[in-house]
Amino acid sequence: MTWGHILSFSQNKGLWIAVMVFTPFLLLGVDYGIRVLTSVYKTDLGSSVVIYGDEYVKSGLWVFDCKYSRVISRERLPVPLAELSALDDVAIGEMNYLSRRDAGSVKEAIRAIIEKPEWYRNLQYAYSGVGESHKFFLLTDHAGFKWALEVDQILRLSRAYRFVVTARPHNPETYVDYTKAFEAAVKSCPAPQ
């Protein structure tokens, strides 16, 4: 073997290694570009942030809401009763949509509601976030008012769920339950689901 053959082989070897290393990245980039260009179910949040729901819709199990970038299971998800019954403490979430005074009275109502044994028994599925989060709700009475208690089930990195409870006075005209969320999602995108 001559020196020219050795140099030629080592140059080609470097080229082949570069091709093998960069080809998967190139293919992933092309695949992503095609998905972006052909996506029908998406929400543009601005600042180059776009939420895509095409994979959810294609699965046949979900409907994507192009307005609120959430997904709704075609069949209501079961309430995680076992996980809720095992909780020692329930986290009360921030309710930034309320004034500080109103948030304090709502937190008192939440505490009173969740102190009841098996308070979570009548929860119902409402909708899910893109990723592993699900919202459940409970319509209940407390202190002469009708309340919409909302429980968010959020998957942590440790693969354990965290539950956060919020509430608001119930207004049947504006409150979004499963039926309203599903109907709104179906109408929110430019293509049928």
Side-chain angles (χ1 to χ4, degrees), residues 10-23:
S10 63
Q11 288 173 347
N12 287 338
K13 183 179 175 185
L15 175 66
W16 282 111
I17 290 173
V19 167
M20 289 180 8
V21 168
F22 291 109
T23 297

Side-chain angles (χ1 to χ4, degrees), residues 1-107:
M1 190 177 272
T2 67
W3 223 180
H5 286 98
I6 293 172
L7 286 176
S8 174
F9 175 75
S10 63
Q11 288 173 347
N12 287 338
K13 183 179 175 185
L15 175 66
W16 282 111
I17 290 173
V19 167
M20 289 180 8
V21 168
F22 291 109
T23 297
F25 295 110
L26 180 63
L27 291 175
L28 285 173
V30 168
D31 180 56
Y32 176 75
I34 289 171
R35 288 182 191 202
V36 167
L37 292 174
T38 62
S39 176
V40 176
Y41 309 102
K42 60 187 171 191
T43 305
D44 189 344
L45 302 176
S47 300
S48 300
V49 177
V50 179
I51 307 294
Y52 296 97
D54 298 83
E55 295 300 319
Y56 288 96
V57 175
K58 287 178 188 173
S59 75
L61 302 173
W62 302 90
V63 174
F64 183 73
D65 189 317
C66 290
K67 182 175 182 182
Y68 295 107
S69 61
R70 58 187 174 207
V71 291
I72 299 91
S73 176
R74 289 188 176 274
E75 293 192 24
R76 293 178 196 230
L77 298 180
V79 176
L81 296 175
E83 291 92 339
L84 287 164
S85 68
L87 289 178
D88 293 328
D89 189 31
V90 177
I92 298 176
E94 292 298 319
M95 292 164 278
N96 298 327
Y97 51 86
L98 299 172
S99 69
R100 186 171 289 183
R101 187 189 82 227
D102 290 341
S105 63
V106 172
K107 286 181 180 182

Side-chain angles (χ1 to χ4, degrees), residues 128-187:
S128 301
V130 174
E132 287 285 331
S133 68
H134 309 292
K135 185 176 289 286
F136 299 90
F137 72 96
L138 170 68
L139 300 180
T140 188
D141 294 310
H142 174 71
F145 293 101
K146 187 95 164 165
W147 294 90
L149 192 76
E150 298 178 345
V151 177
D152 288 307
Q153 179 188 26
I154 305 159
L155 184 67
R156 295 179 172 173
L157 290 176
S158 64
R159 303 301 296 168
Y161 283 103
R162 176 175 183 243
F163 295 92
V164 178
V165 179
T166 57
R168 64 181 75 209
H170 180 250
N171 179 345
E173 293 178 16
T174 60
Y175 190 74
V176 178
D177 61 6
Y178 175 81
T179 304
K180 285 184 180 178
F182 191 89
E183 290 171 358
V186 167
K187 295 174 186 175

